[in-house]
Amino acid sequence: MNKNNELIDNALDRYDRHILRVLQQDGRISNQQLADEVGLSTAACWRRVKALNESGILQKHTTLISPEALGYDLCVLIMVTLVRHQQDHTKAFESAVKECPEVLQCYAVTGDADYVLRVIIPNMAAYDRFLSEKIFTLPGVNQVKSNFALREVKYETAIPV
């Protein structure tokens, strides 16, 4: 645990942790309902949520959508290896990936690949176009290995608090 994590960990009391657990389950809960759930007044609860936002602990408020409901039937984990670890190739790759809406996550990793991407795509033809038009055209891309998800075993967004 780094020093910043220790500071955050020590600063969070049981009310803050309870607020975080509840918000991760229902981000649309009203402040009144949240206050009732955690056992605080509405004003105290609002101040704590505001402080959690300002500290960066609460990063984003969003709604989760079923990819399949919108026609994204394929989930692909892509391992990308660059030619060499050159700063220009790394920056270009990362900038380009950030502009691809079908890339939901991208991690710089250790091991056999330099990056792992989680991509959702409607079908195999769309995946072929994605590779040809967006990935293979990037400078420095040496190798791409694809793993197609057969089924989702676990998908969580809640961080243990």
Side-chain angles (χ1 to χ4, degrees):
M1 186 180 315
N2 70 33
K3 198 171 197 173
N4 288 338
N5 287 346
E6 288 176 21
L7 292 173
I8 290 171
D9 196 41
N10 292 335
L12 296 178
D13 65 12
R14 68 182 179 94
Y15 292 109
D16 293 327
R17 291 177 187 286
H18 196 167
I19 288 169
L20 292 173
R21 283 192 296 274
V22 172
L23 287 176
Q24 287 187 100
Q25 294 305 310
D26 182 3
R28 295 181 62 179
I29 192 170
S30 72
N31 185 58
Q32 179 65 58
Q33 291 171 311
L34 181 59
D36 291 345
E37 174 78 24
V38 299
L40 292 170
S41 70
T42 55
C45 186
W46 180 84
R47 281 192 301 274
R48 285 174 178 266
V49 171
K50 184 174 185 256
L52 291 167
N53 271 306
E54 290 171 354
S55 71
I57 293 172
L58 292 177
Q59 293 182 340
K60 187 177 187 178
H61 302 268
T62 188
T63 298
L64 300 176
I65 299 172
S66 165
E68 296 84 8
L70 297 180
Y72 294 99
D73 292 327
L74 295 179
C75 175
V76 189
L77 300 174
I78 306 170
M79 278 64 66
V80 178
T81 305
L82 302 182
V83 176
R84 295 184 271 296
H85 293 278
Q86 291 183 351
Q87 193 69 15
D88 292 344
H89 291 164
T90 300
K91 286 182 180 179
F93 180 82
E94 290 178 7
S95 293
V97 165
K98 288 176 184 176
E99 299 300 317
C100 296
E102 50 277 275
V103 176
L104 299 184
Q105 294 167 301
C106 175
Y107 297 97
V109 297
T110 61
D112 294 335
D114 297 312
Y115 293 93
V116 174
L117 287 66
R118 184 169 76 93
V119 174
I120 58 166
I121 208 96
N123 54 48
M124 196 60 77
Y127 183 61
D128 184 42
R129 280 191 308 279
F130 170 76
L131 287 178
S132 298
E133 297 171 7
K134 295 185 179 177
I135 299 298
F136 293 149
T137 60
L138 296 173
V141 171
N142 181 44
Q143 187 176 44
V144 174
K145 292 182 181 179
S146 305
N147 290 307
F148 291 85
L150 298 176
R151 68 182 177 282
E152 187 176 278
V153 176
K154 181 178 180 178
Y155 176 79
E156 281 294 328
T157 60
I159 305 298
V161 182

